[in-house]
């Protein structure tokens, strides 16, 4: 797997090398920029941990979310993640360790891959409230956005207790049917971003489906 060292996201800036004869073409496609070459690892799933750390060094982490993608763009996050409790604990511990090592203050999104052999691999981090943590708006006692304000202003961190099972569904592009369904369903909590133009794959909002383990 060849990845650009900068400005890669949602599947952009990365190419799987399947044939060494195509290296020159791949290099051209990446724009001949600084890149990282990684061993290809068969993956089973992706999870993310939203962790908060305040000015006094206290940390709190939300339950890991299980991420699913559509054309390499996050489509849904299922919480709690349907993985072994030991892996959940390991991911939370590593996310907290990372926040402490960086002396980070605020909310940090940390993504992990789970390989087919159940090995946990750090993928990436986002120094901010993260898309995969939007479920906390309706299904946690303290949302990640409130937690961010608490962390950076010196207020005590809020509880990260999950209230109920939830699926966060991103609204990608034109999705009037999903918007309509969310407004009619008692467990659908709709959040729109107010973007003027809908494009294919563009995140226009999200729905938090409460008390759900499969999409409504």
């Amino acid at each position: 797997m060849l990845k650009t060292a900068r400005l890669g996201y949602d599947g952009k800036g990365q190419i799987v090398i399947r044939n060494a004869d195509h290296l020159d073409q791949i290099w051209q496609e990446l724009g001949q920029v600084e890149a990282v070459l990684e061993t290809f690892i068969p993956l089973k799933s992706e999870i993310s941990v939203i962790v908060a750390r305040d000015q006094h060094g206290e940390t709190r982490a939300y339950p890991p979310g299980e991420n699913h993608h559509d054309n390499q763009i996050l489509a849904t996050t299922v919480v709690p993640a349907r993985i072994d409790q030991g892996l959940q604990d390991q991911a939370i511990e590593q996310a907290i360790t990372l926040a402490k090592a960086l002396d980070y203050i605020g909310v940090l999104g940390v993504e992990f891959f789970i390989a087919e052999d159940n090995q946990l691999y750090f993928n990436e981090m986002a120094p901010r409230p993260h898309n995969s943590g939007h479920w906390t708006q309706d299904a946690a006692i303290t949302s990640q956005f409130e937690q961010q304000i608490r962390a950076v202003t010196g207020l005590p961190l809020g509880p990260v207790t999950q209230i109920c099972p939830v699926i966060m569904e991103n609204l990608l592009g034109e999705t009037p049917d999903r918007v309509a369904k969310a407004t009619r369903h008692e467990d659908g909590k709709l959040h729109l971003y107010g973007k003027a133009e809908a494009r294919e794959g563009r995140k226009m909002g999200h729905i938090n489906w409460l008390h759900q383990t499969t999409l409504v």
Side-chain angles (χ1 to χ4, degrees):
M1 178 75 77
L2 188 64
K3 300 180 179 180
T4 57
R6 300 183 61 192
L7 303 178
Y9 67 97
D10 289 344
K12 297 179 177 63
Q14 55 183 315
I15 299 177
V16 177
I17 301 175
R18 304 187 187 278
N19 191 326
D21 295 337
H22 300 156
L23 287 177
D24 287 342
Q25 177 185 344
I26 291 172
W27 183 238
Q28 294 292 331
E29 291 179 15
L30 278 185
Q32 301 183 16
V33 297
E34 185 178 4
V36 177
L37 182 64
E38 298 179 347
T39 299
F40 187 84
I41 300 172
L43 303 176
K44 184 166 59 175
S45 61
E46 180 191 276
I47 62 172
S48 56
V49 176
I50 308 300
V51 59
R53 184 172 182 272
D54 67 16
Q55 298 177 13
H56 309 291
E58 180 184 355
T59 57
R60 293 191 182 180
Y62 293 89
E66 175 186 330
N67 299 326
H68 300 270
H69 298 79
D70 184 3
N71 294 322
Q72 302 188 64
I73 301 174
L74 181 63
T76 60
T77 297
V78 181
V79 190
R82 294 166 293 190
I83 61 172
D84 178 81
Q85 185 62 49
L87 276 177
Q88 293 194 40
D89 295 341
Q90 185 180 347
I92 289 174
E93 180 182 358
Q94 290 189 17
I96 290 176
T97 298
L98 178 62
K100 288 180 177 179
L102 294 172
D103 196 21
Y104 185 82
I105 297 175
V107 168
L108 180 71
V110 186
E111 293 182 357
F112 297 93
F113 288 135
I114 300 176
E116 290 183 351
D117 62 359
N118 278 337
Q119 182 67 37
L120 194 68
Y121 290 92
F122 167 76
N123 174 28
E124 66 179 26
M125 61 181 175
R128 52 176 169 75
H130 191 253
N131 187 189
S132 66
H134 288 349
W135 66 269
T136 62
Q137 288 176 283
D138 301 294
I141 292 180
T142 309
S143 77
Q144 64 170 345
F145 300 102
E146 178 185 342
Q147 202 76 287
Q148 172 75 3
I149 298 301
R150 287 180 169 276
V152 301
T153 59
L155 294 173
L157 296 178
V160 292
T161 307
Q162 183 176 0
I163 298 171
C164 63
V166 60
I167 297 179
M168 188 285 299
E169 176 189 10
N170 272 331
L171 297 173
L172 304 176
E174 292 279 4
T175 53
D177 57 328
R178 301 304 292 166
V179 170
K181 190 161 192 173
T183 58
R184 294 195 299 264
H185 199 289
E186 63 180 5
D187 288 332
K189 305 300 181 181
L190 177 65
H191 301 270
L192 297 176
Y193 303 156
K195 295 180 180 179
E197 180 184 1
R199 298 192 299 269
E200 183 178 357
R202 190 182 193 192
K203 296 172 183 175
M204 304 302 296
H206 66 274
I207 304 167
N208 286 327
W209 296 102
L210 304 183
H211 308 284
Q212 307 299 319
T213 54
T214 58
L215 273 183
V216 175

